[in-house]
PDB file of all heavy atoms in Angstrom:
ATOM      1  N   TRP A   1       0.854  -1.190   0.000  1.00  0.00           N
ATOM      2  CA  TRP A   1       0.000   0.000   0.000  1.00  0.00           C
ATOM      3  C   TRP A   1       0.882   1.230   0.000  1.00  0.00           C
ATOM      4  O   TRP A   1       1.937   1.260   0.654  1.00  0.00           O
ATOM      5  CB  TRP A   1      -0.897   0.012   1.238  1.00  0.00           C
ATOM      6  CG  TRP A   1      -1.695   1.262   1.400  1.00  0.00           C
ATOM      7  CD1 TRP A   1      -2.871   1.571   0.804  1.00  0.00           C
ATOM      8  CD2 TRP A   1      -1.359   2.383   2.220  1.00  0.00           C
ATOM      9  NE1 TRP A   1      -3.295   2.804   1.196  1.00  0.00           N
ATOM     10  CE2 TRP A   1      -2.389   3.336   2.075  1.00  0.00           C
ATOM     11  CE3 TRP A   1      -0.287   2.683   3.062  1.00  0.00           C
ATOM     12  CZ2 TRP A   1      -2.373   4.565   2.738  1.00  0.00           C
ATOM     13  CZ3 TRP A   1      -0.273   3.900   3.718  1.00  0.00           C
ATOM     14  CH2 TRP A   1      -1.313   4.816   3.557  1.00  0.00           C
ATOM     15  N   VAL A   2       0.451   2.260  -0.750  1.00  0.00           N
ATOM     16  CA  VAL A   2       1.115   3.562  -0.761  1.00  0.00           C
ATOM     17  C   VAL A   2       0.049   4.630  -0.552  1.00  0.00           C
ATOM     18  O   VAL A   2      -1.020   4.584  -1.179  1.00  0.00           O
ATOM     19  CB  VAL A   2       1.869   3.807  -2.095  1.00  0.00           C
ATOM     20  CG1 VAL A   2       2.464   5.205  -2.134  1.00  0.00           C
ATOM     21  CG2 VAL A   2       2.954   2.751  -2.293  1.00  0.00           C
ATOM     22  N   ARG A   3       0.356   5.567   0.325  1.00  0.00           N
ATOM     23  CA  ARG A   3      -0.570   6.671   0.617  1.00  0.00           C
ATOM     24  C   ARG A   3      -0.940   7.393  -0.672  1.00  0.00           C
ATOM     25  O   ARG A   3      -0.097   7.610  -1.544  1.00  0.00           O
ATOM     26  CB  ARG A   3       0.119   7.623   1.608  1.00  0.00           C
ATOM     27  CG  ARG A   3      -0.803   8.549   2.338  1.00  0.00           C
ATOM     28  CD  ARG A   3      -0.078   9.292   3.439  1.00  0.00           C
ATOM     29  NE  ARG A   3       0.833  10.279   2.875  1.00  0.00           N
ATOM     30  CZ  ARG A   3       1.905  10.748   3.513  1.00  0.00           C
ATOM     31  NH1 ARG A   3       2.229  10.316   4.709  1.00  0.00           N
ATOM     32  NH2 ARG A   3       2.661  11.649   2.940  1.00  0.00           N
ATOM     33  N   GLU A   4      -2.198   7.750  -0.801  1.00  0.00           N
ATOM     34  CA  GLU A   4      -2.716   8.299  -2.056  1.00  0.00           C
ATOM     35  C   GLU A   4      -1.925   9.501  -2.565  1.00  0.00           C
ATOM     36  O   GLU A   4      -1.623   9.600  -3.752  1.00  0.00           O
ATOM     37  CB  GLU A   4      -4.195   8.667  -1.905  1.00  0.00           C
ATOM     38  CG  GLU A   4      -4.832   9.020  -3.221  1.00  0.00           C
ATOM     39  CD  GLU A   4      -6.336   9.148  -3.132  1.00  0.00           C
ATOM     40  OE1 GLU A   4      -6.922   8.824  -2.085  1.00  0.00           O
ATOM     41  OE2 GLU A   4      -6.917   9.581  -4.131  1.00  0.00           O
ATOM     42  N   ASP A   5      -1.539  10.410  -1.694  1.00  0.00           N
ATOM     43  CA  ASP A   5      -0.831  11.613  -2.143  1.00  0.00           C
ATOM     44  C   ASP A   5       0.629  11.332  -2.523  1.00  0.00           C
ATOM     45  O   ASP A   5       1.323  12.219  -3.001  1.00  0.00           O
ATOM     46  CB  ASP A   5      -0.894  12.721  -1.088  1.00  0.00           C
ATOM     47  CG  ASP A   5      -0.190  12.357   0.209  1.00  0.00           C
ATOM     48  OD1 ASP A   5      -0.221  11.172   0.601  1.00  0.00           O
ATOM     49  OD2 ASP A   5       0.380  13.269   0.844  1.00  0.00           O
ATOM     50  N   CYS A   6       1.085  10.102  -2.366  1.00  0.00           N
ATOM     51  CA  CYS A   6       2.466   9.738  -2.698  1.00  0.00           C
ATOM     52  C   CYS A   6       2.548   8.725  -3.823  1.00  0.00           C
ATOM     53  O   CYS A   6       3.637   8.284  -4.194  1.00  0.00           O
ATOM     54  CB  CYS A   6       3.158   9.168  -1.454  1.00  0.00           C
ATOM     55  SG  CYS A   6       3.261  10.330  -0.085  1.00  0.00           S
ATOM     56  N   ARG A   7       1.415   8.356  -4.412  1.00  0.00           N
ATOM     57  CA  ARG A   7       1.393   7.257  -5.383  1.00  0.00           C
ATOM     58  C   ARG A   7       2.119   7.588  -6.685  1.00  0.00           C
ATOM     59  O   ARG A   7       2.544   6.683  -7.385  1.00  0.00           O
ATOM     60  CB  ARG A   7      -0.041   6.820  -5.663  1.00  0.00           C
ATOM     61  CG  ARG A   7      -0.610   6.111  -4.460  1.00  0.00           C
ATOM     62  CD  ARG A   7      -1.940   5.502  -4.669  1.00  0.00           C
ATOM     63  NE  ARG A   7      -2.369   4.912  -3.401  1.00  0.00           N
ATOM     64  CZ  ARG A   7      -3.605   4.756  -3.036  1.00  0.00           C
ATOM     65  NH1 ARG A   7      -4.583   5.118  -3.852  1.00  0.00           N
ATOM     66  NH2 ARG A   7      -3.893   4.228  -1.871  1.00  0.00           N
ATOM     67  N   ALA A   8       2.274   8.836  -7.031  1.00  0.00           N
ATOM     68  CA  ALA A   8       2.973   9.181  -8.279  1.00  0.00           C
ATOM     69  C   ALA A   8       4.482   9.288  -8.070  1.00  0.00           C
ATOM     70  O   ALA A   8       5.212   9.548  -9.008  1.00  0.00           O
ATOM     71  CB  ALA A   8       2.424  10.489  -8.839  1.00  0.00           C
ATOM     72  N   GLY A   9       4.945   9.044  -6.852  1.00  0.00           N
ATOM     73  CA  GLY A   9       6.367   9.213  -6.543  1.00  0.00           C
ATOM     74  C   GLY A   9       7.229   7.988  -6.759  1.00  0.00           C
ATOM     75  O   GLY A   9       8.417   8.012  -6.430  1.00  0.00           O
ATOM     76  N   GLY A  10       6.663   6.909  -7.275  1.00  0.00           N
ATOM     77  CA  GLY A  10       7.456   5.710  -7.521  1.00  0.00           C
ATOM     78  C   GLY A  10       7.697   4.866  -6.287  1.00  0.00           C
ATOM     79  O   GLY A  10       8.515   3.938  -6.321  1.00  0.00           O
ATOM     80  N   TRP A  11       6.993   5.150  -5.205  1.00  0.00           N
ATOM     81  CA  TRP A  11       7.231   4.410  -3.960  1.00  0.00           C
ATOM     82  C   TRP A  11       6.800   2.956  -4.046  1.00  0.00           C
ATOM     83  O   TRP A  11       7.431   2.076  -3.458  1.00  0.00           O
ATOM     84  CB  TRP A  11       6.577   5.111  -2.781  1.00  0.00           C
ATOM     85  CG  TRP A  11       7.266   6.396  -2.471  1.00  0.00           C
ATOM     86  CD1 TRP A  11       6.778   7.666  -2.651  1.00  0.00           C
ATOM     87  CD2 TRP A  11       8.599   6.549  -1.986  1.00  0.00           C
ATOM     88  NE1 TRP A  11       7.728   8.587  -2.302  1.00  0.00           N
ATOM     89  CE2 TRP A  11       8.855   7.928  -1.893  1.00  0.00           C
ATOM     90  CE3 TRP A  11       9.607   5.652  -1.639  1.00  0.00           C
ATOM     91  CZ2 TRP A  11      10.066   8.429  -1.440  1.00  0.00           C
ATOM     92  CZ3 TRP A  11      10.822   6.151  -1.189  1.00  0.00           C
ATOM     93  CH2 TRP A  11      11.041   7.526  -1.094  1.00  0.00           C
ATOM     94  N   GLY A  12       5.750   2.667  -4.780  1.00  0.00           N
ATOM     95  CA  GLY A  12       5.340   1.271  -4.954  1.00  0.00           C
ATOM     96  C   GLY A  12       6.441   0.465  -5.620  1.00  0.00           C
ATOM     97  O   GLY A  12       6.759  -0.652  -5.197  1.00  0.00           O
ATOM     98  N   SER A  13       7.055   1.039  -6.651  1.00  0.00           N
ATOM     99  CA  SER A  13       8.162   0.373  -7.348  1.00  0.00           C
ATOM    100  C   SER A  13       9.355   0.177  -6.422  1.00  0.00           C
ATOM    101  O   SER A  13       9.994  -0.879  -6.425  1.00  0.00           O
ATOM    102  CB  SER A  13       8.584   1.183  -8.568  1.00  0.00           C
ATOM    103  OG  SER A  13       7.535   1.229  -9.512  1.00  0.00           O
ATOM    104  N   LYS A  14       9.656   1.197  -5.621  1.00  0.00           N
ATOM    105  CA  LYS A  14      10.786   1.081  -4.692  1.00  0.00           C
ATOM    106  C   LYS A  14      10.517   0.014  -3.641  1.00  0.00           C
ATOM    107  O   LYS A  14      11.415  -0.759  -3.274  1.00  0.00           O
ATOM    108  CB  LYS A  14      11.059   2.431  -4.044  1.00  0.00           C
ATOM    109  CG  LYS A  14      11.584   3.455  -5.029  1.00  0.00           C
ATOM    110  CD  LYS A  14      11.682   4.834  -4.427  1.00  0.00           C
ATOM    111  CE  LYS A  14      12.068   5.836  -5.504  1.00  0.00           C
ATOM    112  NZ  LYS A  14      11.946   7.215  -5.074  1.00  0.00           N
ATOM    113  N   LEU A  15       9.288  -0.063  -3.157  1.00  0.00           N
ATOM    114  CA  LEU A  15       8.939  -1.082  -2.170  1.00  0.00           C
ATOM    115  C   LEU A  15       9.070  -2.486  -2.751  1.00  0.00           C
ATOM    116  O   LEU A  15       9.644  -3.382  -2.121  1.00  0.00           O
ATOM    117  CB  LEU A  15       7.502  -0.863  -1.670  1.00  0.00           C
ATOM    118  CG  LEU A  15       7.278   0.345  -0.774  1.00  0.00           C
ATOM    119  CD1 LEU A  15       5.790   0.642  -0.638  1.00  0.00           C
ATOM    120  CD2 LEU A  15       7.907   0.120   0.599  1.00  0.00           C
ATOM    121  N   ILE A  16       8.544  -2.686  -3.951  1.00  0.00           N
ATOM    122  CA  ILE A  16       8.594  -4.023  -4.533  1.00  0.00           C
ATOM    123  C   ILE A  16      10.022  -4.426  -4.880  1.00  0.00           C
ATOM    124  O   ILE A  16      10.421  -5.580  -4.657  1.00  0.00           O
ATOM    125  CB  ILE A  16       7.629  -4.144  -5.744  1.00  0.00           C
ATOM    126  CG1 ILE A  16       7.306  -5.609  -5.991  1.00  0.00           C
ATOM    127  CG2 ILE A  16       8.163  -3.504  -6.983  1.00  0.00           C
ATOM    128  CD1 ILE A  16       6.131  -5.826  -6.903  1.00  0.00           C
ATOM    129  N   ARG A  17      10.819  -3.503  -5.367  1.00  0.00           N
ATOM    130  CA  ARG A  17      12.220  -3.825  -5.676  1.00  0.00           C
ATOM    131  C   ARG A  17      12.992  -4.171  -4.398  1.00  0.00           C
ATOM    132  O   ARG A  17      13.810  -5.098  -4.387  1.00  0.00           O
ATOM    133  CB  ARG A  17      12.886  -2.685  -6.428  1.00  0.00           C
ATOM    134  CG  ARG A  17      12.472  -2.623  -7.897  1.00  0.00           C
ATOM    135  CD  ARG A  17      13.360  -1.720  -8.724  1.00  0.00           C
ATOM    136  NE  ARG A  17      13.359  -0.335  -8.286  1.00  0.00           N
ATOM    137  CZ  ARG A  17      12.546   0.621  -8.770  1.00  0.00           C
ATOM    138  NH1 ARG A  17      11.688   0.327  -9.727  1.00  0.00           N
ATOM    139  NH2 ARG A  17      12.608   1.847  -8.311  1.00  0.00           N
ATOM    140  N   ALA A  18      12.726  -3.447  -3.319  1.00  0.00           N
ATOM    141  CA  ALA A  18      13.394  -3.736  -2.045  1.00  0.00           C
ATOM    142  C   ALA A  18      12.987  -5.114  -1.519  1.00  0.00           C
ATOM    143  O   ALA A  18      13.831  -5.874  -1.021  1.00  0.00           O
ATOM    144  CB  ALA A  18      13.064  -2.654  -1.021  1.00  0.00           C
ATOM    145  N   ALA A  19      11.709  -5.449  -1.641  1.00  0.00           N
ATOM    146  CA  ALA A  19      11.237  -6.762  -1.192  1.00  0.00           C
ATOM    147  C   ALA A  19      11.852  -7.872  -2.043  1.00  0.00           C
ATOM    148  O   ALA A  19      12.257  -8.921  -1.511  1.00  0.00           O
ATOM    149  CB  ALA A  19       9.719  -6.825  -1.239  1.00  0.00           C
ATOM    150  N   GLU A  20      11.933  -7.668  -3.346  1.00  0.00           N
ATOM    151  CA  GLU A  20      12.532  -8.673  -4.219  1.00  0.00           C
ATOM    152  C   GLU A  20      14.010  -8.864  -3.881  1.00  0.00           C
ATOM    153  O   GLU A  20      14.498  -9.997  -3.842  1.00  0.00           O
ATOM    154  CB  GLU A  20      12.371  -8.268  -5.685  1.00  0.00           C
ATOM    155  CG  GLU A  20      10.940  -8.364  -6.174  1.00  0.00           C
ATOM    156  CD  GLU A  20      10.722  -7.760  -7.549  1.00  0.00           C
ATOM    157  OE1 GLU A  20      11.659  -7.143  -8.121  1.00  0.00           O
ATOM    158  OE2 GLU A  20       9.600  -7.916  -8.063  1.00  0.00           O
ATOM    159  N   ALA A  21      14.719  -7.778  -3.616  1.00  0.00           N
ATOM    160  CA  ALA A  21      16.137  -7.882  -3.250  1.00  0.00           C
ATOM    161  C   ALA A  21      16.298  -8.646  -1.939  1.00  0.00           C
ATOM    162  O   ALA A  21      17.208  -9.484  -1.807  1.00  0.00           O
ATOM    163  CB  ALA A  21      16.760  -6.485  -3.143  1.00  0.00           C
ATOM    164  N   GLU A  22      15.432  -8.394  -0.980  1.00  0.00           N
ATOM    165  CA  GLU A  22      15.487  -9.113   0.290  1.00  0.00           C
ATOM    166  C   GLU A  22      15.152 -10.590   0.086  1.00  0.00           C
ATOM    167  O   GLU A  22      15.763 -11.468   0.698  1.00  0.00           O
ATOM    168  CB  GLU A  22      14.540  -8.486   1.305  1.00  0.00           C
ATOM    169  CG  GLU A  22      14.491  -9.184   2.642  1.00  0.00           C
ATOM    170  CD  GLU A  22      15.816  -9.213   3.401  1.00  0.00           C
ATOM    171  OE1 GLU A  22      16.764  -8.475   3.050  1.00  0.00           O
ATOM    172  OE2 GLU A  22      15.912  -9.994   4.372  1.00  0.00           O
ATOM    173  N   ALA A  23      14.194 -10.880  -0.795  1.00  0.00           N
ATOM    174  CA  ALA A  23      13.841 -12.265  -1.082  1.00  0.00           C
ATOM    175  C   ALA A  23      15.038 -13.006  -1.696  1.00  0.00           C
ATOM    176  O   ALA A  23      15.337 -14.139  -1.311  1.00  0.00           O
ATOM    177  CB  ALA A  23      12.632 -12.323  -2.017  1.00  0.00           C
ATOM    178  N   VAL A  24      15.719 -12.376  -2.618  1.00  0.00           N
ATOM    179  CA  VAL A  24      16.906 -12.982  -3.226  1.00  0.00           C
ATOM    180  C   VAL A  24      17.972 -13.197  -2.154  1.00  0.00           C
ATOM    181  O   VAL A  24      18.604 -14.261  -2.082  1.00  0.00           O
ATOM    182  CB  VAL A  24      17.450 -12.122  -4.389  1.00  0.00           C
ATOM    183  CG1 VAL A  24      18.830 -12.584  -4.827  1.00  0.00           C
ATOM    184  CG2 VAL A  24      16.477 -12.142  -5.564  1.00  0.00           C
ATOM    185  N   ARG A  25      18.172 -12.212  -1.286  1.00  0.00           N
ATOM    186  CA  ARG A  25      19.151 -12.336  -0.206  1.00  0.00           C
ATOM    187  C   ARG A  25      18.837 -13.547   0.673  1.00  0.00           C
ATOM    188  O   ARG A  25      19.727 -14.224   1.160  1.00  0.00           O
ATOM    189  CB  ARG A  25      19.155 -11.064   0.645  1.00  0.00           C
ATOM    190  CG  ARG A  25      20.289 -11.020   1.674  1.00  0.00           C
ATOM    191  CD  ARG A  25      20.155  -9.860   2.630  1.00  0.00           C
ATOM    192  NE  ARG A  25      19.099 -10.040   3.604  1.00  0.00           N
ATOM    193  CZ  ARG A  25      19.133 -10.867   4.659  1.00  0.00           C
ATOM    194  NH1 ARG A  25      20.182 -11.614   4.865  1.00  0.00           N
ATOM    195  NH2 ARG A  25      18.117 -10.943   5.497  1.00  0.00           N
ATOM    196  N   ARG A  26      17.543 -13.851   0.828  1.00  0.00           N
ATOM    197  CA  ARG A  26      17.127 -14.995   1.652  1.00  0.00           C
ATOM    198  C   ARG A  26      17.059 -16.306   0.866  1.00  0.00           C
ATOM    199  O   ARG A  26      16.611 -17.314   1.378  1.00  0.00           O
ATOM    200  CB  ARG A  26      15.768 -14.711   2.280  1.00  0.00           C
ATOM    201  CG  ARG A  26      15.804 -13.574   3.284  1.00  0.00           C
ATOM    202  CD  ARG A  26      14.488 -13.460   3.982  1.00  0.00           C
ATOM    203  NE  ARG A  26      14.417 -12.282   4.815  1.00  0.00           N
ATOM    204  CZ  ARG A  26      13.549 -12.132   5.797  1.00  0.00           C
ATOM    205  NH1 ARG A  26      12.676 -13.103   6.062  1.00  0.00           N
ATOM    206  NH2 ARG A  26      13.523 -11.033   6.521  1.00  0.00           N
ATOM    207  N   GLY A  27      17.510 -16.281  -0.389  1.00  0.00           N
ATOM    208  CA  GLY A  27      17.577 -17.508  -1.177  1.00  0.00           C
ATOM    209  C   GLY A  27      16.357 -17.808  -2.026  1.00  0.00           C
ATOM    210  O   GLY A  27      16.241 -18.905  -2.583  1.00  0.00           O
TER     211      GLY A  27
END
């Protein structure tokens, strides 16, 4: 979830990329 007034800032993409990187780190 991203707050409505921040949705155009690319935060959803940053969150998903960070989660994917952590998933890879965990194997």
Side-chain angles (χ1 to χ4, degrees):
W1 174 83
V2 176
R3 198 171 71 204
E4 189 170 352
D5 64 325
C6 299
R7 289 187 182 152
W11 291 110
S13 295
K14 292 173 186 169
L15 289 166
I16 201 166
R17 284 194 299 267
E20 289 171 354
E22 178 61 14
V24 168
R25 188 188 73 74
R26 294 187 188 199

